Amino acid sequence: MFRIGEFAQIAQVSSRQLRFYDQLGLLQPAHIDQQTGYRFYSIRQLPRLNSILALKDLGLSLDQIGPLLKDDVSPSALRGMLIMKRAQIEQALREEETRLRQIESRISQIDKHGTIDGYDVVIKSVAAMPFLSLRHVCTGMDEAVQMVRTVAEGGARLIRATLRDKLIVVSQNESQAEVLDLEIGYSLSRKSNDIVRLANDLVLNVGELPSVETMATIVRQGTNAESHMSFSAIGTWIEANRFEIAGPCREVFLESVTGPPGFDAALVEIQFPVRPAA
């Protein structure tokens, strides 16, 4: 017989663990001295302790291990437990791999930009939404900015405040296009059949922005000369995390552009639909 400290040393566990297993009925002492209360263990209990430790290393809980030691669980049930545990571990590994890629993308951002301030990329799902908009091909950035201002100001004036949500610009461009093919308008708080007629025969028609399951997003402040830095940061993130672009980019203005804070200071969320790279 070995006292609890001696048995713990042989088994390479702590005395506290042995007391805990005793409380749970998993491994009770072979003998307890009635006068001193000392616990004594037999070397023949070592295989049972090793079984507990081995099953615990597989990720099974102590509540699951108890019935297994009593042979109250069939081999098929044990197999089911292990399959479930395997699935949980595989999921955890995928999550850790994603976290590792995010760390790598942060390192890349620091290497390229010298900072990570303002370049936090967040993945989200976006629901489908009604969209009151027009589509216009612009030959340059100046024309695009002017068209966005025209739609923003006209829409703010003519769309009911209870219906109007956020100004959104969707870039429909093909990668090699030399023009800017934009869909510009307001998302709506509910479905509507309204159309809105702006100056110069411009008309906003109701359509729908489709839902996107995986949207990589980043928030920047204002439409200014440094806007390209945010696109560069999200591009770095997409590449480092082994995604590819899966649809048109959206720029969602989170604050008013027709009043304070205005175009130069309003927060804008850049959204890129993405999917795992092939």
Side-chain angles (χ1 to χ4, degrees):
M1 289 284 191
F2 298 94
R3 292 176 64 169
I4 187 170
E6 297 168 334
F7 189 69
Q9 188 174 13
I10 293 170
Q12 294 293 291
V13 297
S14 67
S15 298
R16 183 177 179 182
Q17 270 183 281
L18 292 176
R19 292 191 183 95
F20 186 51
Y21 294 160
D22 180 15
Q23 291 174 5
L24 296 178
L26 293 176
L27 183 70
Q28 296 175 326
H31 173 70
I32 298 178
D33 189 295
Q34 296 300 317
Q35 293 184 337
T36 62
Y38 289 158
R39 293 174 169 87
F40 292 89
Y41 291 82
S42 166
I43 197 65
R44 289 187 171 275
Q45 291 181 280
L46 191 57
R48 181 179 177 89
L49 176 58
N50 286 342
S51 294
I52 295 172
L53 298 176
L55 291 169
K56 191 167 176 286
D57 284 343
L58 291 176
L60 298 181
S61 69
L62 295 177
D63 287 340
Q64 292 173 315
I65 290 172
L68 288 171
L69 295 176
K70 297 176 183 177
D71 292 328
D72 290 343
V73 175
S74 67
S76 61
L78 173 59
R79 185 177 185 276
M81 289 181 190
L82 295 177
I83 289 174
M84 183 179 298
K85 180 54 63 176
R86 181 180 65 187
Q88 292 171 351
I89 293 173
E90 288 173 345
Q91 177 64 29
L93 288 173
R94 286 193 293 270
E95 291 172 357
E96 288 302 309
E97 184 179 2
T98 298
R99 190 169 290 112
L100 178 60
R101 292 199 300 267
Q102 290 171 349
I103 291 171
E104 290 173 347
S105 69
R106 282 301 183 100
I107 292 172
S108 296
Q109 287 175 8
I110 293 172
D111 290 343
K112 288 187 177 182
H113 307 294
T115 179
I116 60 172
D117 293 340
Y119 298 116
D120 293 314
V121 177
V122 175
I123 288 290
K124 62 175 68 174
S125 296
V126 176
M129 64 189 79
F131 191 37
L132 187 58
S133 65
L134 60 79
R135 190 163 175 174
H136 187 80
V137 176
C138 304
T139 56
M141 186 57 68
D142 289 343
E143 182 184 351
V145 170
Q146 184 56 50
M147 182 58 64
V148 171
R149 287 184 180 275
T150 297
V151 173
E153 293 167 359
R157 186 175 65 255
L158 298 173
I159 304 172
R160 299 190 307 275
T162 56
L163 181 65
R164 187 179 70 248
D165 190 10
K166 294 180 178 63
L167 176 67
I168 299 177
V169 179
V170 182
S171 177
Q172 302 285 358
N173 278 51
E174 298 293 336
S175 58
Q176 302 300 321
E178 295 182 0
V179 295
L180 299 174
D181 185 356
L182 305 178
E183 188 174 3
I184 310 164
Y186 280 92
S187 60
L188 304 178
S189 58
R190 62 183 183 276
K191 290 183 179 181
S192 171
N193 293 322
D194 292 350
I195 64 170
V196 173
R197 299 185 182 278
L198 307 179
N200 299 321
D201 297 324
L202 299 174
V203 178
L204 303 182
N205 292 292
V206 176
E208 182 180 74
L209 283 175
S211 63
V212 176
E213 180 63 29
T214 308
M215 189 82 87
T217 68
I218 193 170
V219 175
R220 72 161 195 261
Q221 185 171 0
T223 300
N224 49 56
E226 296 184 357
S227 298
H228 71 280
M229 298 289 286
S230 297
F231 284 91
S232 176
I234 200 168
T236 298
W237 185 95
I238 289 171
E239 183 178 40
N241 286 274
R242 300 174 193 169
F243 282 100
E244 62 184 14
I245 296 172
C249 166
R250 304 178 188 179
E251 294 182 73
V252 181
F253 289 78
L254 305 177
E255 297 179 299
S256 173
V257 297
T258 57
F263 270 104
D264 293 333
L267 291 179
V268 183
E269 184 175 79
I270 302 169
Q271 301 179 344
F272 275 92
V274 294
R275 62 186 171 224

